[in-house]
Each structure stands twice: as structure tokens, then as C-alpha cells.
Amino acid sequence: MAASGNIAVFDLGKTHAKVILFDPERLEEIAVLQLKNTVLLGPPYPHFDIPALKAFVTSSLKQLAAEHEIASVFVSTHGAAAAVIAEGELALPVLDYEFGGPDEFAAEYDAVRPLFERTGTPRMGGGLNLGAQLYWLARRFPEEMGRADTLLFWPQYWAHWFSGMAASEVAYAGCHTDLWDLTDGAFLPLSRYGVPGGLGYPPMRWCSDVLGPVRAEIAEATGLDAATEVYCGGHDSSLSLVSVGREYPGPCTVLSTGTWVTIFALGLEEPDVVEEPGLTVSMDCEGRVTPSYRFPGGAIYADLLGQMQGRDAPDAVEELRLEGFDTAATARVVAQDTGEPVDLSGWDRDAGAEVVSRLLGRQALHGLRAIGARGPIVLSGPFSGNAVFREMLGSAWEAEIHVEENLLGICKGIAASVSGAVPQWDRL
């Protein structure tokens, strides 16, 4: 565990990359630097612009280290990305999970992937299942995959770049990857996906484990002290749960809103869920099984309001079927629960927003029930200020609903992770 002091958080989201200097004792952001995270279209396929990200991180840390003390570095990233490494370097570019290439072998992949009951992983399109990425890469780039020796999840790729140490992390391993066996608490063999035998997983570590100090090259380029420690790092959504779980020790629920509405049921001893679109069972940062449900609520909100101009809203709703949306409940809400379609093209924006907010509130309630959520809800993000959405939740939820006004969810989770006791691996 690193000494107390400011943490430089590299928060790599799908849209933006940030370097946040964070005081874990005061729970304050000291500085935030940001870059748009771009995707290079190829060749050989759409992939993340790692040189640009490295340049951004280096220049950001150099700027911050010149003005502030930095005790440690912690990396938080989006899901569904991994680096295939050969002798310490990338064997292939890191594939953008929105690329549809892996769907080329969808039928073959479906025949070999494990059942939901074993992994908690739903079948997702493109490269959203890491197993599907690896299956496609093994078929399309056998030479490069044949010389690869290490698979690094996205946070641990960056931790490796900072420290030179390779590791795996359980919350990332168990988040819709098709690579983690929930029943056995162990990795599934990569050979299942046609990956050559030389490629393997690094040792499992906790996100809050210190892998080592920064490499000399990094210290020289950034001005960081040579003793600056590098944490293993983790998945952004999972990290945002840690501080909530510590504050509410019993069963509780996190409902995060934005482009995606994501719901997590925390503290359930034996989750009882049934496979359906949008539902995932994963591991949290402390190795506990955690069901979740997600749907593109913010995107739907903006899209439906836009489409209401000159269209029947039920027509727009039908297009959401592939998103795992509860279209039957949606149609009832948009039709004002009368069963008859309502033409909203002549409605003003406020009236349309109310209807769509009710639609999303109902879908959120469906997700809460689907994952067996219990206890108080911690609500965050843009919809926490939506009175209609909150009223829909409050009318059907017996426990309290707390609005998380502080937007430091990931940083607070990191602070809780590095300051609290971590369980031992025999719990898995």
C-alpha cells in the first residue's frame, strides 16, 4: 500500500482521457487535465491511439509534478479492452470494442463460449466480450498471436507501462469478458478460443495492490520521484462502487445515470438472476459477485425527444429492441398506459421530456427487480436531478433514495480502496 499523499489518477474513458491529481484524505480534485480519446481506423483494424495517450499522460504528469507532490499513480479505464503482449511490447494494436470485426465469426464463437450460468456474461456484439476479440484475433492474425506471451487488461496495460510489472485484476476479469469462471473463481483457458498456448494471464492482484515504483524512464520523462508507487488499477464502474459499499455495509444499490444507466446490486449473499439482455453478473473490486443491469438511458432520452418531431413515439421505441430495452413496458408508457399509440409530434419539449422520463424510470425499476436489488439506492448522474424520474423510483421503492451530488465517484472509490483492508484471495 502506498504512503499517504496525492494520487495521480489516469482515468481513461471511451470518450475522454483524464489525468486527475487527487487528495485522498480531503477527497478533493486538485487539478484535472483532459484529452479526447481517439480511435485510429487502421490498419489493421480500428484501435486506440496509444502513442497519443502516452504523450498526453507524460506531459500531464510533467506539468503536475512541477507544481505538486505526487505519491502514487492509479489507472482506471473503461471495460472491454485488452492488450496482447510479446516480450514486453504490443504484439497487435488494442482493438476498439465498437469494431464489428469479431462478429465475422459469431456463430463459431457462440458454439464455444461458456454458458451465462458459469460466467455471468451475456452475449454482446462486436468486441464487447473480450473472448470474442481474442477469437477473432487468433483467426485473423495467427502469426502475431502465436508469438504473444501475456494478456493484459486495459488498466493493467497502463500499470505495466508505468511500472514494468504485469498483473491481472478480478473486477476487470469478471466484467462481460467470457474469461472468468464465477463458479470456480478462476480464469478460463484461452485455448477455448483458439488462442495459441503461449499466451497467458499474469498473476491476479487487487486493484489497490502496489506493483512497484515507476520505471526510471517514466520518472525521467515526467519529473515524478523515482519512488512514486504504481497501483494495479481497475475498472472504472467497479471502482465507483467501493466507497458506497463501505458507507452502506448491508445490501444497497448504486444507480448511475448518464449516456448509460447502470444499476449495481451490492451486498447480496447469493444473487438469484435469470439471463436477459442488459444483465451481467460480475465481480467487484473485493472479489464479491455483483449483478448489474444497464441500458442506454441518456442516449434514449436525447434520441426519443429528437425523434418526436413529426413521428409517433412508439415507432421510435420499436427501434430500441436491439438495445435490450423492455419494449412492452416502453410502449405502455409512451401510450400513456391506455394501450393506444399517442402521436407526440405536436407536443412541446417539456411534455415529451416528462413522458420519456417516465419511460426511463420504469425501465430502471425493471432493472432493479431483474438483479434482485435491495436496500437504499445511491443515485448519481444527470437523471438524479430529473424530478419525474426520481418520483417514478420513489413511488415503487421501499428503501431510501440518496442523491450523490459529489461527482468524484471513481476517485472516492480509489481512496476507499487504497485506505481500507483488502480481503485475501482464498475468499474467491
Side-chain angles (χ1 to χ4, degrees):
M1 185 170 294
S4 61
N6 297 331
I7 303 174
V9 178
F10 179 32
D11 180 20
L12 180 51
K14 186 60 167 66
T15 305
H16 291 98
K18 299 178 183 178
V19 174
I20 305 167
L21 188 61
F22 181 71
D23 183 335
E25 295 181 359
R26 297 184 179 182
L27 298 181
E28 291 179 353
E29 291 179 349
I30 300 171
V32 180
L33 302 172
Q34 180 170 288
L35 173 77
K36 183 175 176 58
N37 187 16
T38 57
V39 172
L40 303 177
L41 297 181
Y45 44 74
H47 57 277
F48 296 115
D49 190 349
I50 290 179
L53 290 170
K54 288 182 177 178
F56 164 68
V57 173
T58 301
S59 63
S60 297
L61 290 176
K62 186 174 183 178
Q63 177 181 332
L64 294 174
E67 302 171 359
H68 306 276
E69 291 186 358
I70 300 175
S72 56
V73 176
F74 196 111
V75 182
S76 160
T77 80
H78 62 79
V84 177
I85 304 296
E87 298 182 352
E89 301 293 334
L90 284 171
L92 286 164
V94 176
L95 184 145
D96 173 19
Y97 66 72
E98 294 184 303
F99 173 52
D103 291 333
E104 178 184 0
F105 303 117
E108 297 175 27
Y109 180 70
D110 288 345
V112 299
R113 67 183 294 268
L115 296 175
F116 175 86
E117 289 76 13
R118 187 174 182 186
T119 64
T121 297
R123 181 66 168 104
M124 305 171 80
L128 281 166
N129 297 128
L130 279 180
Q133 288 190 29
L134 295 172
Y135 191 94
W136 185 78
L137 290 171
R139 294 290 298 272
R140 285 298 176 202
F141 302 93
E143 181 178 346
E144 291 85 348
M145 292 292 281
R147 63 184 180 85
D149 50 55
T150 307
L151 179 69
L152 292 175
F153 299 130
W154 202 210
Q156 285 71 54
Y157 168 77
W158 290 99
H160 176 266
W161 179 67
F162 277 117
S163 70
M165 301 299 293
S168 299
E169 190 270 330
V170 70
Y172 209 96
C175 186
H176 59 77
T177 64
D178 277 343
L179 302 179
W180 182 259
D181 190 330
L182 290 175
T183 58
D184 292 340
F187 281 114
L188 290 163
L190 291 172
S191 59
R192 186 184 194 105
Y193 304 122
V195 175
L199 182 61
Y201 305 100
M204 187 68 81
R205 305 287 295 273
W206 296 109
C207 69
S208 56
D209 283 349
V210 173
L211 299 185
V214 292
R215 294 186 294 115
E217 179 184 352
I218 298 293
E220 181 178 357
T222 62
L224 290 172
D225 189 282
T228 304
E229 294 180 313
V230 180
Y231 289 103
C232 178
H235 184 224
D236 51 12
S237 295
S238 301
L239 286 165
S240 67
L241 306 178
V242 178
S243 59
V244 176
R246 299 278 171 84
E247 186 174 354
Y248 302 93
C252 62
T253 303
V254 172
L255 203 168
S256 173
T257 66
T259 301
W260 287 85
V261 172
T262 310
I263 311 169
F264 296 90
L266 308 182
L268 302 183
E269 292 185 4
E270 295 183 3
D272 183 16
V273 298
V274 177
E275 181 177 9
E276 68 166 90
L279 194 153
T280 301
V281 182
S282 57
M283 307 291 284
D284 71 5
C285 291
E286 296 181 353
R288 293 169 296 206
V289 176
T290 305
S292 64
Y293 185 89
R294 67 197 298 262
F295 64 97
I300 289 167
Y301 185 87
D303 187 52
L304 276 185
L305 285 185
Q307 292 188 44
M308 283 178 184
Q309 301 303 313
R311 295 192 56 184
D312 277 356
D315 292 339
V317 168
E318 191 62 26
E319 295 175 5
L320 304 175
R321 186 177 299 279
L322 294 179
E323 300 288 356
F325 210 73
D326 184 351
T327 52
T330 297
R332 289 195 299 272
V333 174
V334 174
Q336 299 288 281
D337 293 325
T338 65
E340 296 296 329
V342 175
D343 183 359
L344 300 181
S345 59
W347 290 28
D348 61 27
R349 184 173 179 84
D350 288 344
E354 179 177 349
V355 170
V356 178
S357 297
R358 293 179 62 218
L359 176 159
L360 297 177
R362 181 166 294 189
Q363 187 66 18
L365 288 168
H366 170 80
L368 288 163
R369 298 185 186 103
I371 62 176
R374 296 167 51 200
I377 292 176
V378 178
L379 174 64
S380 65
F383 282 95
S384 63
N386 184 313
V388 176
F389 183 83
R390 287 173 60 179
E391 182 182 355
M392 285 285 293
L393 294 179
S395 64
W397 199 253
E398 295 181 358
E400 295 180 341
I401 297 176
H402 302 275
V403 175
E404 176 65 81
E405 296 180 356
N406 193 327
L407 301 179
L408 302 177
I410 291 175
C411 288
K412 287 173 64 178
I414 291 171
S417 295
V418 302
S419 63
V422 293
Q424 299 301 309
W425 272 108
D426 57 12
R427 286 185 55 187
L428 290 181

